[in-house]
Amino acid sequence: MKLIGPFKQVVTLADLPLRGKLFDEQLEIIEDGGMIINQNKIQQIGNFEYLKSNHPNIEIEEIEEGQIVLPAFTDSHTHICFGGNRANDFAMRNAGKTYLEIAESGGGIWSSVQHTRKASEQELLETLLQRIDFLLALGITTIEIKSGYGLDAENELKMLRIIKRAQQQTKATLIPTCLSAHLKPRDFEGSNQEYLQYILTQILPQVKEENLAKRVDVFIEKSAFQPDESKDFLLKTKELGFEITVHADQFTSGSSRVAVEVGAKSADHLEATIDEDIEFLAKSDTVATALPGASLGLGEKFTPARKLLDAGAILAIASDWNPGSAPMGNLITQASILATFEKLTTAEVLAGITFRSAFALGLEDRGKLETGMKADFVTFKTNNFQNVLYNQGSLKAENVYVDGMKIK
Ligand SMILES: [Zn+2]
């Protein structure tokens, strides 16, 4: 057991509701605070001097002066296991080339598939661990990671096994998701339905057997999989015992409805979601996940986060870090920018990258500084927590803790 502090401000996010809009007045801010950590959990939070005098023999971990502390962040949507690089796609898109022209010159998701298939396991593992370290340094200690650049049994399993190996080498919590239904691969001979059937019979049983992932994702879009075939596929994955998440409404609407109907944990993207479907989503327990990094990478509009929150949805914000449409990876920068365009309160942004995004991954043991919660937290060298979003990502995390232990 130890007492950590004193912190200029402890921003606990305690007692904030899971869904809907939030006002900054709802934020609990403990000035000159401290936290008592027992094992890997938070035992007590309060005024540092008060806690100290009430526990005269407690071990004290003194914090360098002038820091605030927040719950560590959760990035609930990434594609950070990949080979190659798509800087040329980015340049071509900005130069006005179409999706088709980029694909024809060897770009697009298919190019990431080819590079990922070719890459050695060691190479993929090392680059994955580098990206995990980048996220950890931002204060992100829980990271969802998708497959989806293998697109056949051998390579999808390769990706998921690498994510499993990475988990043994990092303090971050990694949540793997099987995204074999990212796109029908060019070398698959058969229809979309046949490819989805292939995933159900040739990939998912092995994923289960080796306990490589508990979640399945599908990209529902005109260029990928259609709503009807996806719904059928998702219901079957559910029968196999998987949790579901969906890439929904990125360019065309209609698929967030499918996500809600099949009871998905989250529907991610939603840039094109129509008002009627916002209402539908808001009445469900499916988390609506905004991915501002994709809007910034593509120069497309943002997810209607304000409308979703006003309607009562559970809004999470994630990076979508991937080599094609979202190459930045800095969730703090992205969430801050989303706030300026969508007019989100500080409380809404912080909730969206902590307990609400954790909930999207089925994790309710983190994302708030409260008794009994996992002791993952991040400190910033500032007297005012508002500076974290105000600086739009340029104020770097000072220290990052996982299970009460300092890792950075
Ligand atoms: Zn994605």
Side-chain angles (χ1 to χ4, degrees):
M1 205 157 84
K2 65 180 176 187
L3 169 62
I4 305 185
F7 298 101
K8 189 79 187 83
Q9 297 173 326
V10 181
V11 185
T12 64
L13 308 189
D15 302 325
L16 294 179
L18 181 61
R19 60 172 67 242
K21 65 180 168 191
L22 298 171
F23 300 102
D24 288 344
E25 293 72 23
Q26 290 173 270
L27 288 171
E28 179 186 56
I29 299 154
I30 300 170
E31 305 280 342
D32 304 313
M35 283 189 285
I36 294 179
I37 309 297
N38 194 0
Q39 308 287 359
N40 62 336
K41 290 191 166 58
I42 296 167
Q43 177 155 315
Q44 201 181 347
I45 300 185
N47 177 273
F48 182 77
E49 290 305 326
Y50 172 82
L51 292 174
K52 197 171 152 182
S53 60
N54 271 271
H55 300 80
N57 298 319
I58 198 167
E59 179 196 335
I60 293 176
E61 187 173 325
E62 280 237 24
I63 294 296
E64 212 185 308
E65 223 179 299
Q67 297 191 52
I68 65 103
V69 63
L70 287 166
F73 310 121
T74 290
D75 191 343
S76 60
H77 183 136
T78 85
H79 307 248
I80 55 174
C81 182
F82 61 84
N85 164 300
R86 294 196 1 228
N88 192 50
D89 288 23
F90 185 77
M92 282 182 77
R93 197 163 49 236
N94 292 345
K97 304 290 188 221
T98 65
Y99 180 82
L100 210 65
E101 286 171 317
I102 293 169
E104 276 167 1
S105 82
I109 291 177
W110 186 241
S111 100
S112 292
V113 173
Q114 287 171 303
H115 281 107
T116 305
R117 284 182 180 178
K118 251 189 285 170
S120 72
E121 293 195 13
Q122 196 53 32
E123 205 178 320
L124 284 176
L125 179 64
E126 277 169 20
T127 51
L128 172 60
L129 285 168
Q130 283 165 12
R131 293 180 194 116
I132 290 167
D133 284 345
F134 175 90
L135 294 173
L136 274 175
L138 298 176
I140 299 167
T141 61
T142 303
I143 306 165
E144 188 260 13
I145 307 172
K146 301 177 195 297
S147 68
Y149 295 124
L151 304 189
D152 61 22
E154 181 193 338
N155 290 290
E156 283 290 301
L157 294 169
K158 175 174 96 168
M159 287 187 74
L160 291 169
R161 288 180 190 129
I162 287 165
I163 298 167
K164 194 174 186 176
R165 278 173 67 192
Q167 180 63 88
Q168 290 154 5
Q169 297 183 38
T170 180
K171 298 272 190 245
T173 303
L174 307 182
I175 305 292
T177 303
C178 179
L179 177 59
S180 301
H182 200 181
L183 193 77
K184 186 186 80 174
R186 285 190 196 171
D187 56 358
F188 185 84
E189 288 173 21
S191 64
N192 269 3
Q193 280 99 325
E194 285 166 323
Y195 179 63
L196 294 172
Q197 191 57 29
Y198 168 83
I199 297 172
L200 287 166
T201 58
Q202 306 299 310
I203 300 180
L204 293 180
Q206 194 60 30
V207 170
K208 219 174 164 169
E209 169 86 28
E210 292 181 46
N211 197 19
L212 295 172
K214 292 190 170 65
R215 297 157 43 89
V216 168
D217 194 349
V218 57
F219 184 24
I220 308 181
E221 192 50 65
K222 282 207 173 97
S223 60
F225 297 96
Q226 308 316 306
D228 282 353
E229 63 198 15
S230 302
K231 187 171 177 180
D232 187 50
F233 168 73
L234 289 170
L235 289 173
K236 286 177 180 155
T237 63
K238 224 175 161 179
E239 277 170 28
L240 292 173
F242 289 94
E243 300 263 18
I244 295 167
T245 178
V246 179
H247 279 70
D249 296 354
Q250 184 179 12
F251 303 110
T252 51
S253 65
S255 45
S256 60
R257 197 159 267 274
V258 174
V260 173
E261 283 167 355
V262 300
K265 291 296 287 181
S266 73
D268 302 12
H269 272 300
L270 311 174
E271 293 89 331
T273 304
I274 56 172
D275 288 353
E276 201 185 314
D277 291 350
I278 287 176
E279 293 296 330
F280 195 64
L281 202 47
K283 286 190 180 66
S284 76
D285 288 333
T286 299
V287 176
T289 306
L291 304 172
S295 304
L296 292 166
L298 295 171
E300 300 272 350
K301 66 178 176 185
F302 288 100
T303 302
R306 181 72 269 148
K307 279 188 179 177
L308 283 158
L309 284 164
D310 288 344
I314 310 167
L315 184 90
I317 307 169
S319 74
D320 196 21
W321 191 1
N322 74 72
S325 57
M328 183 203 293
N330 191 327
L331 176 61
I332 315 309
T333 296
Q334 295 162 2
S336 308
I337 292 174
L338 181 70
T340 64
F341 279 88
E342 281 294 311
K343 306 298 172 219
L344 306 182
T345 66
T346 301
E348 287 166 341
V349 175
L350 293 177
I353 57 177
T354 55
F355 66 93
R356 287 178 172 177
S357 52
F359 181 80
L361 301 177
L363 302 170
E364 297 181 55
D365 65 341
R366 65 195 69 194
K368 289 182 178 182
L369 302 177
E370 275 181 330
T371 301
M373 286 290 199
K374 190 175 189 291
D376 283 18
F377 47 88
V378 52
T379 76
F380 291 86
K381 210 164 195 171
T382 176
N383 287 329
N384 175 4
F385 73 98
Q386 290 177 315
N387 284 326
V388 174
L389 299 182
Y390 169 65
N391 281 283
Q392 298 183 307
S394 59
L395 178 68
K396 301 294 177 212
E398 187 68 18
N399 295 135
V400 181
Y401 286 76
V402 171
D403 291 331
M405 305 298 288
K406 185 151 94 174
I407 62 153
K408 179 204 173 232

